[in-house]
Amino acid sequence: IVAITDQKGKIIHVNSNFCKISKYSKQELIGQDHRIINSSQHEKEYIRNLWVTIANGHIWKGELKNKAKDGSYYWVDTTIVPFLNDDGKPYQYIAIRSDITQRKKEESHLRLLESVITNTTDAVLITEAESSDEGGPRVIYANNAFTEMTGYTSEEIIGKTPRMLQGEKSDKQELDRLGVAMRQFEPCEITIIKYKKSGEEFWVNFSVSPVVDEQGNHTHFISIERD
Ligand code: FAD
């Protein structure tokens, strides 16, 4: 996606990919400012920084959300390069962009899912799939509900194995059943006594499920736990 403007930002060249993504014809774009595709979604300061950067003869890189002719939005990863005259002043700018709309959608979808895990009242623990030398998979994430339930901070849990919460009264048979299921990458639900950081016992019901990546490899376990 390419466009060239004069030093004031007036468009003097667009390629067919620009027309395709913006849904404007070449005739509609030539002579216009990029304002025509402005989505009003960026802070004035962001656009000001773009202009200050390029007007001073530097390359600007950033992500822009633009509005197509039909009112739909699209995101572009953008590099604007100034062409400098003999005095070192820009006389033209070239904008080279790639469509990142899909990635942006995925990122916002991920943020949404992350907020579910962060805000749920169920305790969530994520571990690696492989067992560590300590005899269990290491924790890579614990949500707020988990730290509140156990009294450990996430820093105290991450890198350790969930065994740190087990103790004398944790039912060995149930734990063996969980161990067998995990080695076979099968989901499993058990109810046992665990121990808070303070040493206080509590009953917890938890279900552990394996996570599989696109290639079918087991990458993690997710444990959802309730006091
Ligand atoms: P405004 O409120 O108009 O301006 C915000 C601040 O930016 C102003 O206070 C001013 O300091 C500065 N500014 C604005 N226009 C100029 C100017 N002509 N000269 C110097 N400083 C100025 N905008 C997009 O929204 N999407 C794009 O994909 C995009 N691509 C661009 C590609 C090129 C090569 C160039 C040169 C500009 C591009 N722009 C793009 C910027 C565009 O020209 C407009 O400036 C912008 O869309 C206006 O946004 P705004 O109304 O939020 O900002």
Side-chain angles (χ1 to χ4, degrees), residues 5 8-9 33-35 37-39 42 44 47-48 50-51 54 64-66 76 78 80 93-95 97:
T5 75
K8 290 202 172 120
D33 187 281
H34 275 89
R35 213 171 271 288
I37 49 162
N38 187 287
S39 64
H42 296 289
K44 297 276 171 222
I47 301 293
R48 207 180 89 80
L50 176 160
W51 273 107
I54 61 174
L64 286 164
K65 183 177 183 178
N66 285 336
V76 278
T78 302
I80 303 177
Y93 299 110
I94 181 163
R97 299 172 247 234

Side-chain angles (χ1 to χ4, degrees), residues 84-99:
L84 307 181
N85 62 22
D86 293 343
D87 302 331
K89 298 262 179 271
Y91 65 94
Q92 269 182 8
Y93 299 110
I94 181 163
I96 303 156
R97 299 172 247 234
S98 56
D99 184 2

